[in-house]
Amino acid sequence: MSSQEEEATQEGQSDSDVDYDYLESLVSEHVTGRESHVNAEAFRIDAYSVQDVLSTLKEEAGFDHLSVVTAQEYEDRFESIYHLKKFDDPTQELSIVVPTPREEPVHQSAAPVFTTADWHEREAYDLVGIEYEGHPDLRRILLPETWQGHPLRLDYNQDKPQIVTFEQHENPLEESLRDMENEGDRDTMFLNVGPHHPATHGVLHVKTVLDGEQIADLDPDIGYLHRCEEQMCQNGTYRHQIMPYPDRWDYAPSGLANEWSYARAIEDLEGIEVPEYAQVIRTMGAEMTRIASHMLAVATFGLDIIGDFSAVFMYAMRDREIVQDLLEDLTGQRMMFNYFRVGGVVWDLPEPRDVYFDNIRDFLEDLPERIDEYHSLLTQNELFQMRTVDTGYISPEAAKDYGTTGPVLRASGVDYDLRRDDPYGYYDKLDWDVRTREEGDNLARLLVRMDEVEESAKIIEQCVDLLEDWPEDDREIQANVPRSLKPEPGAEIYRSVEAPKGELGIYMRSDGTDKPARFKIRGPSFNNLHALERMSEGELIPDLIATLGSLDIILAEVDR
């Protein structure tokens, strides 16, 4: 065992139940080397055994969750990393590394094994330039097809102007007209939904092909909000300059959960132990953002289905506003909280503490009655039920295959929640439940969010009880963190948290400087939106609007 492995095991960062020697024996004919990442062991394999290796690990070892695909460039090679987990136990992790030479960055696609690899590999091709043989539809996903170069390559010229003639711009409608000349497409109609429409919840263009009134094909066109956040984080220092960025990924508002994803990754990478008092504050704040996020989802979903600025929208925005006030008191800001720091939080609870606790308790006390109101106004509404019951269905197997997480996955009956299954913060010391539904339709996804508001309220109440009785001389909000963080060169880690929309993960690789050599973001909305094509097949356009709303995506997190 290397010194890095020993350190990781001592700190509980590596799961001792994973028998990596056994896993290696399953695919030994394809393994060319082995690496130790902080979160898990990694096997290097040859470029054309990706499907064999992933199939074996999925079928025989139970690694059925492809969290994310990270592509990166070294001085001497390109590399794709497939981060694998198990839905039954996400603490069991394994990474599959596929190196390719610089002069020929090509290797086999994983899309035939995991559907979720489809979009992730398209992104890797788009930003880094690795090509995936056997991919069903390898084209750019975040940038236009006319874009020149790959922005995350070492030799990419950021000052080069992207000059594209008018004739080269893609015209989807013209393409559809060309398709209609084909014999098989004479009875279909191409329909653009978005990119600017209230029902798309942001700047999203959905290319839709209709057969009569039914959806025959669907292709979400994303990238309108792409700002290369990963590269911006790679240009920031670990200690201070990265933390403000996560708030921007989901600004509506999952900010504290987003900040936690980065905090967890760098703290585990550097072995920083966060004080218990700060962990309780983090847990309470993160659950407030979950309630605020779910309230916004309920409000806009009601708007999608019932139309107009209905009572449901007003009620949910009213309740969200109360949570926003509590978060503003805690963090000093209303949207871009920037409250977490590496090793803790920036400051203690607002004074006077008694008044702040009373305000939280007043909100929690009124919450059950207000949830009953939502059920009366929304879930028992006949029109709402017509658009949500048995529409947008996705089976548990398909939800896993697309890598969906959060309420989208739990609404299909998959009992997966990182707060319980890969515990962090103070969650494992509190009494609460993971709520699931079996129906897998649009209504189930809404009901899971409403159930989770109740669970978040339980967590917050317990945190308030703890904080209220916490000894004054033990209210430590920050660990002793060095002024400059420089992780060991070559150290790699993937860590994730349960954000309101699902698994939000961060991969980082250190080159020994105070900035990450590679920073990869796994946004839950990205995977959840990918599943829209499966959910909408054969549905009507009004069902598509309902299904899109039920996913509760935020385009800034999809595009990053």
Side-chain angles (χ1 to χ4, degrees):
M1 182 180 286
S2 68
S3 59
Q4 191 176 26
E5 283 179 277
E6 290 176 348
E7 184 180 352
T9 303
Q10 289 167 3
E11 295 171 359
Q13 296 171 357
S14 178
D15 194 301
S16 57
D17 293 331
V18 182
D19 187 345
Y20 290 107
D21 293 333
Y22 165 71
L23 295 175
E24 185 176 357
S25 70
L26 293 176
V27 293
S28 57
E29 69 271 27
H30 304 298
V31 174
T32 59
R34 188 160 157 173
E35 303 174 7
S36 290
H37 299 178
V38 175
N39 61 302
E41 288 286 287
F43 301 153
R44 286 195 299 275
I45 64 171
D46 60 80
Y48 290 94
S49 58
V50 174
Q51 292 173 15
D52 283 344
V53 169
L54 294 183
S55 295
T56 302
L57 293 171
K58 183 179 181 183
E59 301 298 330
E60 297 186 27
F63 284 90
D64 54 352
H65 180 25
L66 175 59
S67 288
V68 62
V69 180
T70 301
Q72 54 186 334
E73 181 182 10
Y74 290 82
E75 294 291 338
D76 62 341
R77 67 186 187 281
F78 287 87
E79 193 176 273
S80 297
I81 307 177
Y82 295 87
H83 303 269
L84 298 175
K85 290 184 181 181
K86 295 181 179 181
F87 279 109
D88 288 341
D89 181 3
T91 62
Q92 299 205 19
E93 299 179 66
L94 174 66
S95 297
I96 299 299
V97 180
V98 189
T100 57
R102 285 188 57 84
E103 59 274 12
E104 190 181 9
V106 183
H107 68 76
Q108 196 176 48
S109 169
V113 183
F114 290 98
T115 303
T116 186
D118 182 341
W119 272 29
H120 283 284
E121 288 180 346
R122 282 180 61 191
E123 182 180 326
Y125 162 72
D126 193 356
L127 300 184
V128 182
I130 297 177
E131 296 188 24
Y132 297 88
E133 280 194 8
H135 190 283
D137 185 20
L138 192 61
R139 57 191 164 93
R140 291 186 183 273
I141 188 169
L142 295 175
L143 300 173
E145 281 297 323
T146 51
W147 196 269
Q148 301 164 58
H150 305 279
L152 291 185
R153 279 207 174 178
L154 299 177
D155 60 354
Y156 180 72
N157 182 2
Q158 297 188 27
D159 298 324
K160 180 181 178 180
Q162 294 285 334
I163 301 174
V164 181
T165 63
F166 180 77
E167 288 74 18
Q168 286 180 283
H169 276 291
E170 184 183 21
N171 184 340
L173 183 58
E174 185 178 320
E175 183 181 346
S176 81
L177 289 173
R178 289 199 300 271
D179 289 343
M180 288 178 67
E181 294 173 1
N182 299 326
E183 186 67 26
D185 295 330
R186 287 185 184 280
D187 295 330
T188 63
M189 182 182 79
F190 184 87
L191 179 68
N192 287 304
V193 179
H196 293 287
H197 191 282
T200 58
H201 292 228
V203 192
L204 170 67
H205 173 208
V206 183
K207 301 175 184 177
T208 312
V209 178
L210 297 179
D211 182 0
E213 296 186 14
Q214 287 185 310
I215 296 170
D217 192 21
L218 181 149
D219 179 21
D221 177 20
I222 64 176
Y224 293 89
L225 283 180
H226 176 58
R227 294 294 180 270
C228 227
E229 288 268 356
E230 294 175 3
Q231 195 171 52
M232 293 167 71
C233 291
Q234 287 168 199
N235 291 325
T237 57
Y238 293 104
R239 182 74 168 87
H240 295 295
Q241 295 177 341
I242 294 177
M243 192 58 87
Y245 287 118
D247 286 306
R248 275 74 177 169
W249 304 337
D250 180 358
Y251 46 75
S254 301
L256 295 187
N258 296 6
E259 292 172 20
W260 210 338
S261 66
Y262 170 64
R264 194 181 184 203
I266 184 60
E267 285 159 3
D268 283 356
L269 188 61
E270 283 289 83
I272 297 169
E273 188 171 346
V274 180
E276 199 171 9
Y277 179 70
Q279 293 283 26
V280 179
I281 296 177
R282 283 182 170 189
T283 304
M284 180 187 71
E287 292 311 303
M288 286 183 184
T289 60
R290 191 178 312 278
I291 291 178
S293 177
H294 286 355
M295 286 295 177
L296 184 61
V298 171
T300 53
F301 196 42
L303 194 64
D304 288 335
I305 307 296
I306 299 175
D308 207 349
F309 285 88
S310 62
V312 173
F313 180 84
M314 297 300 182
Y315 283 18
M317 293 302 285
R318 172 202 63 191
D319 293 337
R320 175 178 177 266
E321 192 67 14
I322 298 172
V323 185
Q324 288 284 104
D325 288 342
L326 295 172
L327 287 165
E328 184 178 3
D329 290 343
L330 178 66
T331 68
Q333 299 169 77
R334 290 189 66 79
M335 292 188 73
M336 309 300 171
F337 302 118
N338 196 18
Y339 179 64
F340 281 26
R341 293 292 182 272
V342 178
V345 295
V346 63
W347 50 58
D348 201 350
L349 299 174
E351 296 286 354
R353 293 165 65 95
D354 290 347
V355 173
Y356 188 61
F357 292 143
D358 286 345
N359 290 339
I360 295 174
R361 285 203 168 97
D362 287 345
F363 170 70
L364 298 180
E365 187 177 345
D366 294 339
L367 199 54
E369 183 180 343
R370 292 178 176 184
I371 290 177
D372 288 342
E373 279 183 334
Y374 294 124
H375 283 295
S376 297
L377 289 167
L378 196 62
T379 61
Q380 296 175 22
N381 181 300
E382 186 178 352
L383 174 62
F384 186 83
Q385 291 182 359
M386 287 174 62
R387 290 268 75 90
T388 58
V389 176
D390 293 333
T391 60
Y393 173 76
I394 186 166
S395 68
E397 295 73 24
K400 289 180 180 178
D401 194 34
Y402 276 88
T404 65
T405 51
V408 175
L409 181 66
R410 290 190 284 274
S412 291
V414 181
D415 189 11
Y416 177 82
D417 190 314
L418 293 172
R419 293 175 293 172
R420 180 202 59 194
D421 301 331
D422 185 12
Y424 55 95
Y426 217 73
Y427 288 111
D428 59 343
K429 299 179 181 66
L430 304 175
D431 180 23
W432 61 283
D433 297 311
V434 175
R435 304 289 286 270
T436 61
R437 298 273 175 166
E438 302 294 330
E439 295 82 1
D441 58 10
N442 289 334
L443 180 61
R445 290 187 275 278
L446 175 78
L447 293 176
V448 165
R449 292 190 182 94
M450 294 175 69
D451 294 342
E452 289 185 358
V453 168
E454 297 176 1
E455 297 302 321
S456 294
K458 283 187 198 172
I459 294 171
I460 293 170
E461 187 172 21
Q462 294 172 71
C463 289
V464 169
D465 291 341
L466 288 166
L467 293 169
E468 201 168 31
D469 298 333
W470 208 277
E472 190 169 353
D473 57 358
D474 191 29
R475 294 173 186 169
E476 191 179 356
I477 61 169
Q478 264 281 340
N480 186 16
V481 180
R483 184 179 296 272
S484 178
L485 296 175
K486 294 181 180 179
E488 183 181 343
E492 300 177 53
I493 189 170
Y494 175 76
R495 276 285 182 261
S496 53
V497 300
E498 190 68 35
K501 294 174 174 58
E503 179 181 333
L504 178 60
I506 302 293
Y507 164 82
M508 288 192 295
R509 173 172 62 86
S510 168
D511 59 2
T513 68
D514 61 351
K515 299 176 182 177
R518 180 73 170 102
F519 191 99
K520 171 66 182 174
I521 307 162
R522 191 259 192 217
S525 293
F526 184 78
N527 289 71
N528 293 345
L529 179 60
H530 185 195
L532 180 66
E533 61 188 21
R534 174 68 70 91
M535 297 175 179
S536 301
E537 191 175 337
E539 303 264 338
L540 308 177
I541 282 290
D543 298 328
L544 165 64
I545 302 304
T547 304
L548 185 57
S550 77
L551 295 178
D552 185 31
I553 59 166
I554 187 89
L555 268 302
E557 185 184 85
V558 173
D559 295 345
R560 289 152 283 130

